[in-house]
Amino acid sequence: MKTPFFTCVSAIISKDLRAEIRARELISVMALFALLSILVFSFALELDREAREEAVSGVLWVTLIFASTLGFNRSMAQERDHGNLDALLLAPVSRAAIFVGKLLGNFIFTLIVGLAMLPLMTALYGLALLDGWIIVTTALGIFGFATIGTLLATMTVQTRAREALLPIALLPIALPFLLTAVRATKGILSGAPAAEWQGPLGMLAAIIVIYLALCLLLYEYVLEE
Amino acid sequence: MKSLPMDLRKDTSPMPRLLRVLTVITVLGFAGTLALGLKVAGADIQQGEIQRIFYIHMPSFFGAFTAFGLTLIGGIIYLARKNETWDRIALAGVEVGLAFSLINLLTGSIWARPIWNTWWTWDPRLTSAAIMCLTYAAYLMLRAGIDDPGKRRAFMSVYGILAFVTVLITLFIIRIVPETIHPVIVGASPQNAQGGFEATSGVVIALAPSLLLWLTLMPITIIWHRVRLEARIEAMNQLKLQALSE
Amino acid sequence: MMMMRTAIRIVALIGALLTTGLVMSEDGEETTTPYFQSRALNVPILAGWEDQSGEDFAQFHLAEAEATIRAAIAPQDDIIAAVGADLNDAFGIEVGQPIYQDKVNLADGTWSVLVFDYGEETTASVMARLAGGGTVVISFVERDPAARTALLTVAQADDALDDPTPEIAFAIESLTGMSPSDLSRAESIRLPSGEWTVYAGASMSAMGMVFGNDSYVALQEGAPGNLAALAEAYNRTLLGFFITPDSSHYLALGMAVVFVILGALVGSLFWRERGLRKDLALLEQLAGEEP
C-alpha cells in the first residue's frame, strides 16, 4: 500500500525544514552568496541612479538563479550523501510525491532568500522593490527555477562531475523564466502601465504550468531503481 | 576463435539499400542546391554576393530543427519503450543538430559583417540561437558524465525533451521580445529588421530545394549513419568490458 | 524494389517543390522601377529618355533638350582625372578648368560637385566620388544652343532652414554674373521627388529643393521651359543610383565555414569508424592468441 500523496509531500517538506533549522546549511549559503553578488554587482557595474533602474532587475534575477542553483545542488547532495534518496525509493511512495516534496522544499528556502533580497536591494539601490507585484513575480520566477532545478539537480547529483554540471544544464533551460521575469520586474519597477508587464507575467505563469507538467511526467525516469 | 556479438558483425554486413540510395541522393542534392544558390540564382543588387549565403543559413536552421526534433521524439519513445535505438537516434540528433546550428550561427555572423557592419550583436534572436547551441552542447557534456548506461539513456532522454524548449524559443522569440533586427524573408518582417530582401523569382527557386534538402534528407541520412555507428560503438564497449573482465 | 520506389518518391517530391517554386516566382514579380544593372553599378532607367547604355555604363539621352545623363565607374582613383577621362570618352569633350567646384557630404560618402562650361553650347554638371578602386561619375551634359543648364548639389548654409533660397542665390552668384535679386520667387511646384521652390527672371530661371542637409539646385539661362523635367531626371539618377557592394570574399569565407563544419561532422563518422575497426582487429588478435 502506498502512502497517500499529500502525507508524503508534507513529510518530505517537514523533514527538509527540520534538517535546515538544525544545520542551517542551505539558507545561510544562499543568503551569503546573494549578499556578495549584490555587492559585487554594484561595484563591478559602477551603477549610478539611471543605470540602476535599467540594471537592477537583471541583477536581481541573475543573483537569484545562481543562488538557487547553489541551493538545489546542496539540497540534492544532502539527500544523496545521507542515503535518503535510496531510502525514499524503497519506501512505498509515488515518485511524483517525492518530486513535489523536494520542489516545495527548494521553493520555500529560495523564496526566503529572495524575499530577504528585496528589502536589502531597496535599501542599497534606493529603488522601490518592495512592491506587491514584484513579490508575486519573484515568487513565480523562483517557483519556475525550483521546478526545473529540482528535476535537473536530481540528475546531476548522480553524475561524475556532480555540482559543476547543474548550472550548465539549468541555465539554458531556465532561460524562459529568466527572460519573462526580468521583463516583468523591469516593467513594474519603471512604473509602466499594467498592460505592459502583465503580458510577460502571464507568460511566466504559463511557462511554469508547462514545465511543471513536463517535470511531473519526467521525474519518475530520473529516479529509477 | 570466439564468436563476436551480433552488433559488431553488422560492421561487415552491407549498408541497407535505402540508406545507400539516400546517401547518393543527399550528396547529389547538396551539390545541386549549391549550384542553384551559387550560380543559377541572381546576385542581390543591394547586398552583393554575400546574400547567397542565405540559401544555406536559413535551411541549416531548419535542418537543426529536424535533428533536435528527432532528439525529442527519440527521447519520448525511449522512455516509453526502453528501446536503445531511439536513444541512439536522440544522440545522433544532438550531434547533427549542433553542427547544423553552428553552420547557421556562423554563416549568419559572416553575413552580418558586411550588412549590419558587425560580426555579432546581442539581438534576441541571435542570443536565443546561441543559447540553443549551448543547451545541446550541455547535453553532450552531461551525457559524458554519466557512467551507468541505463541511467545515461533515461537522463539524456529527459534532458533532450526539456532542451527542445530552447528550439521553440528561437523560433518564436520575436513574439516574446519583438524588438529584433533579424529580418524575416518569408512573411512579415519585424519593424526594426535590417538587411531583408524580397523573396522573388530566383530566391524561391534556389531556396525551396535547399530548404527541403536540409529539412529532410541531410539530417536523416547523417543521423542514420551515426545511429549505425553508435550501435557498433556500444557493442564494442561491451566487448572491451568483457575482455577486461576475463 | 520498395527502396527504389521510396527513392523515386523523394526525387518526385523535390521536383514538385522546384515546380512550385517556379510557379510561385511568376506571381512574385513586382512592378518596381526598372534598373540598369552592370557588375556593380545600378541606375534607374529614365522613362521617356533614349537608353544609350553600354555594358558598363548607364546613359540616357533626351533629344528635344539635347541633354544626356550618364553614370559610370571610371578606373582612375583621382576624381579630376576620372571625370576628365569619362567625359572625354563619352562626349569627346576636352575638360578644362571647372567654373564651379565644391564638396558635399551625402549619406553614401563625400561627393565632388563640378560644373564645366564650354561656351554657348555645352555645359557639363558632374557629381563624382571615390568607390572601391575607382571613381563613380554621374554627369549631366547639355548641348542645347538655346539654353545653358547646370545642376548641382550645395551644402545648406543653415541646416535648420527648410528653404533652398540661400543655396539658389549662392549658385547663381558662383555660376553666372547675375545677381539673385534679378529673379523673383514664383510658386513652388510639386514633383515626384518633392517640393521644389522656383525663381524666375527675364532670361533665367532657377529651382531648388532641400534634401537632408543639402539643397539640389537647378539653373537655366534661356527659356526652353524644360528645367523641371531635367532637374527631376538628374535628381532621380542621383538618388536612385547605388553600387552593389563587393561582398564575394565574405561569401567565400561563409562557404568555407560550411564545408569545414560538414566535413568535420562526416569526418568524425569516418574517424570513429576507423577507431572501431582498429579495436576490433586488436580484440580479434587477442582472442586468437589466447587459444
Side-chain angles (χ1 to χ4, degrees), chain B residues 16-38:
Chain B
R17 185 107 161 262
L18 179 60
L19 181 57
R20 250 168 223 280
V21 174
L22 275 183
T23 310
V24 172
I25 296 179
T26 306
V27 171
L28 291 180
F30 184 64
T33 54
L34 274 189
L36 278 178
L38 295 179

Side-chain angles (χ1 to χ4, degrees), chain A residues 95-114:
Chain A
R95 303 281 147 90
I98 301 177
F99 173 68
V100 173
K102 285 309 291 178
L103 160 63
L104 289 179
N106 282 337
F107 171 61
I108 292 168
F109 294 137
T110 319
L111 186 66
I112 292 171
V113 175

Side-chain angles (χ1 to χ4, degrees), chain B:
Chain B
M1 189 178 139
K2 284 177 199 167
S3 68
L4 293 164
M6 276 306 284
D7 271 333
L8 270 175
R9 259 184 279 143
K10 269 191 205 151
D11 178 33
T12 43
S13 79
M15 219 184 269
R17 185 107 161 262
L18 179 60
L19 181 57
R20 250 168 223 280
V21 174
L22 275 183
T23 310
V24 172
I25 296 179
T26 306
V27 171
L28 291 180
F30 184 64
T33 54
L34 274 189
L36 278 178
L38 295 179
K39 289 278 165 251
V40 176
D44 186 84
I45 56 170
Q46 304 274 0
Q47 302 185 357
E49 294 289 316
I50 187 65
Q51 182 265 340
R52 297 177 190 279
I53 205 78
F54 169 75
Y55 303 127
I56 288 180
H57 171 70
M58 188 242 220
S60 65
F61 175 80
F62 285 96
F65 178 81
T66 303
F68 292 146
L70 281 172
T71 300
L72 170 77
I73 294 168
I76 294 171
I77 299 183
Y78 176 78
L79 290 180
R81 295 214 196 127
K82 304 284 171 203
N83 179 340
E84 288 145 23
T85 305
W86 287 102
D87 174 63
R88 286 172 201 146
I89 291 176
L91 170 65
V94 171
E95 286 185 9
V96 172
L98 206 52
F100 284 9
S101 49
L102 205 61
I103 289 178
N104 173 253
L105 272 184
L106 289 179
T107 53
S109 175
I110 289 165
W111 173 86
R113 181 70 190 93
I115 305 300
W116 287 346
N117 211 15
T118 174
W119 293 104
W120 184 261
T121 159
W122 290 105
D123 180 83
R125 189 153 220 186
L126 275 63
T127 311
S128 66
I131 285 167
M132 179 179 92
C133 273
L134 290 177
T135 313
Y136 285 94
Y139 176 103
L140 294 178
M141 289 190 75
L142 209 57
R143 192 172 177 109
I146 309 169
D147 293 324
D148 179 64
K151 253 180 196 171
R152 179 169 56 216
R153 293 193 189 104
F155 286 12
M156 293 333 288
S157 298
V158 169
Y159 194 77
I161 294 169
L162 289 175
F164 198 72
V165 175
T166 60
V167 180
L168 295 179
I169 290 179
T170 309
L171 264 177
F172 298 117
I173 186 83
I174 39 177
R175 288 181 200 282
I176 308 172
V177 189
E179 54 267 15
T180 178
I181 61 169
H182 190 284
V184 173
I185 303 305
V186 182
S189 241
Q191 226 176 357
N192 305 333
Q194 286 168 23
F197 52 87
E198 299 273 334
T200 53
S201 51
V203 175
V204 179
I205 294 170
L207 180 61
S210 181
L211 189 57
L212 186 77
L213 181 85
W214 282 83
L215 195 62
T216 56
L217 289 182
M218 294 263 289
I220 288 170
T221 309
I222 303 176
I223 285 173
W224 192 342
H225 281 290
R226 178 70 183 88
V227 167
R228 281 166 51 83
L229 180 66
E230 183 64 18
R232 297 213 298 280
I233 290 175
E234 280 172 19
M236 171 59 76
N237 286 342
Q238 228 162 23
L239 204 66
K240 278 184 191 164
L241 279 180
Q242 260 175 35
L244 281 176
S245 61
E246 264 169 24

Side-chain angles (χ1 to χ4, degrees), chain C:
Chain C
M1 274 308 96
M2 266 287 286
M3 282 143 208
M4 279 318 287
R5 232 176 277 158
T6 319
I8 289 168
R9 263 184 226 143
I10 292 168
V11 172
L13 193 61
I14 295 181
L17 235 111
L18 244 169
T19 324
T20 332
L22 282 168
V23 171
M24 270 169 66
S25 66
E26 304 275 303
D27 321 327
E29 224 59 74
E30 353 96 59
T31 51
T32 44
T33 353
Y35 259 78
F36 163 84
Q37 279 166 22
S38 73
R39 208 170 45 76
L41 194 66
N42 304 277
V43 188
I45 291 170
L46 296 174
W49 292 53
E50 184 197 339
D51 193 345
Q52 302 177 329
S53 302
E55 200 170 300
D56 52 359
F57 66 89
Q59 186 168 311
F60 308 102
H61 182 68
L62 188 66
E64 59 260 39
E66 294 192 50
T68 307
I69 290 176
R70 173 184 161 93
I73 299 179
Q76 294 85 347
D77 58 359
D78 173 77
I79 288 184
I80 297 293
V83 170
D86 188 56
L87 289 185
N88 199 359
D89 273 6
F91 306 103
I93 304 172
E94 272 304 326
V95 181
Q97 275 299 311
I99 57 164
Y100 176 89
Q101 183 168 13
D102 199 4
K103 282 190 158 67
V104 286
N105 288 311
L106 300 182
D108 57 352
T110 302
W111 288 80
S112 289
V113 184
L114 301 157
V115 179
F116 301 93
D117 188 19
Y118 304 101
E120 288 299 296
E121 277 196 7
T122 306
T123 311
S125 311
V126 180
M127 297 271 291
R129 80 165 162 91
L130 297 175
T135 306
V136 190
V137 179
I138 300 180
S139 48
F140 168 83
V141 175
E142 171 273 313
R143 297 175 133 159
D144 186 356
R148 264 179 85 222
T149 312
L151 307 174
L152 57 160
T153 306
V154 183
Q156 272 196 291
D158 177 6
D159 291 352
L161 194 64
D162 196 24
D163 186 275
T165 305
E167 287 77 49
I168 292 176
F170 171 76
I172 291 172
E173 275 176 326
S174 318
L175 285 174
T176 70
M178 293 173 74
S179 153
S181 55
D182 296 345
L183 281 77
S184 61
R185 188 177 183 134
E187 84 290 8
S188 45
I189 54 168
R190 181 134 204 104
L191 296 174
S193 56
E195 194 88 12
W196 292 73
T197 306
V198 181
Y199 284 83
S203 63
M204 169 152 200
S205 52
M207 54 195 285
M209 176 183 70
V210 174
F211 188 87
N213 292 334
D214 303 281
S215 290
Y216 294 115
V217 177
L219 302 177
Q220 191 170 51
E221 283 179 68
N226 55 15
L227 182 61
L230 296 179
E232 180 68 16
Y234 191 56
N235 192 261
R236 250 186 82 62
T237 310
L238 280 181
L239 288 181
F241 139 91
F242 64 92
I243 289 179
T244 303
D246 178 17
S247 50
S248 51
H249 298 312
Y250 289 104
L251 180 66
L253 178 64
M255 291 314 298
V257 165
V258 171
F259 279 109
V260 166
I261 295 176
L262 282 181
L265 181 65
V266 175
S268 85
L269 294 186
F270 281 108
W271 184 254
R272 285 183 271 194
E273 177 91 42
R274 233 185 61 172
L276 207 59
R277 278 174 206 277
K278 270 189 194 162
D279 286 357
L280 192 65
L282 188 71
L283 282 178
E284 269 172 350
Q285 199 190 345
L286 286 177
E289 279 170 9
E290 236 168 67

